[in-house]
Amino acid sequence: MLNFDEQRFLRIQSGAVALSKRLDEVVSSCLSAGAENIFFLGTGGAAILMQPAAQLLQRRSRFPTFIDMPAELVVTGSAHLTAKSIVVIPSLSGMTKESVALLAGLKEIGATVLTLVGHEETPLGKGGDHVFVNFAEDDTSCESFYLQSLLIALSVMKHRGELSNYDQLVAELSNLPEMLLQAKRAFEDRADGFARILAGSDYHIITGAGNVWPEAFYYGMCILEEMQWIRTRPVHASDFFHGTLELVEKEVSVILFKGEDALRPLAERVENFAPNYTDKLTVLDTADFELPGISAEVRALVSPILLSTVLERISAHLEVMRNHPLTTRRYYKRVAY
């Protein structure tokens, strides 16, 4: 595979799954101590990657679950954020400015802070009440953060008596890193063609529904815009028909991500509409990939993880094709803002 280290990938994703036992122990202790809610408080891309886990809890658990922006909470606070709150802060660098600023306030409140970081010797790596370190870099962090947050959500449901097959689900997730690697290999020949589609337009409407919508948002904002300077319009598939559809015409690129959860029909609605008005609809469907030994229930849960892993292959080809390394920035961490 182009510019890819297979063993590094397996090491990082296996490292994320290996955190399951300790994550479960910490969640159990927090709930036993009387935790009343959970906040997922990431910044930027890391925040987006928390959305599927937060959505899972909001829809399948009665445990109050919030997702918010640290930059806003520093200013406004929240009536729900108390000493009885569990707060999950993901930050690959461990130094994200807005999240570090929030940490001091969380200490004053007395909330229990779980930090998910790639580097321990950092403010967030040292500042959490419970620190989970799994080294990763930009090309491997998505799957790692998705997995860690999913494990937290499943653990909450388990200890509240809302999930009866936790052990089975985690056992399947332990096999996922190898399955993701196989998916990358299977997709490699298609990745170049997909990259050509992205390189062929300077504007893309990117859409999806359910737990793959955050990956559509993330890929548009954090990869195509930040790392490739390609303009995008991420829009949820249900909102697609409340404004964005008016921008669809011949030669307008529409990129559709399809997952395998209950919200798949919302994506299919876009899939049925768009070809009538543009000749540039491109669909990336997780159902097209084999995951031996992974149940339908887990496939639905890991659809955003599977999408992110094959999108990484597309990005690897795209940066070479456009002669624009994914590490190239004009402003991000380069100028004061």
Side-chain angles (χ1 to χ4, degrees), residues 172 175-188 190 258 260 284-296 298-300 302-303 305-307 309-310:
E172 288 189 41
N175 295 322
L176 190 62
E178 180 61 40
M179 298 301 100
L180 294 175
L181 180 57
Q182 291 183 22
K184 284 179 181 289
R185 290 171 179 159
F187 188 71
E188 184 69 10
R190 293 176 54 199
K258 294 177 67 178
E260 298 173 59
L284 189 55
D285 187 349
T286 63
D288 292 339
F289 296 90
E290 295 184 5
L291 296 177
I294 304 297
S295 65
V298 172
R299 286 189 67 106
V302 303
S303 290
I305 304 174
L306 180 52
L307 272 178
T309 215
V310 296

Side-chain angles (χ1 to χ4, degrees), residues 228-245:
Q228 287 294 291
W229 307 345
I230 294 174
R231 292 174 175 82
T232 69
R233 169 63 165 102
V235 59
H236 193 287
S238 65
D239 285 336
F240 183 93
F241 294 96
H242 297 274
T244 305
L245 81 168

Side-chain angles (χ1 to χ4, degrees), residues 11 43 46 76 80 101 104-105 121 142 147 183 198 216 230 261 282 310 321-322 333:
R11 185 169 60 252
T43 299
T76 65
H80 298 285
E121 297 299 321
C142 288
L147 281 165
L198 295 177
I230 294 174
D261 65 6
T282 307
V310 296
M321 188 177 298
R322 300 184 74 240
K333 295 184 178 179

Side-chain angles (χ1 to χ4, degrees), residues 57-70:
L57 285 172
Q58 288 168 343
R59 292 179 174 170
R60 291 182 51 184
S61 173
R62 295 185 66 84
F63 193 59
T65 301
F66 303 90
I67 191 162
D68 213 324
M69 294 185 176

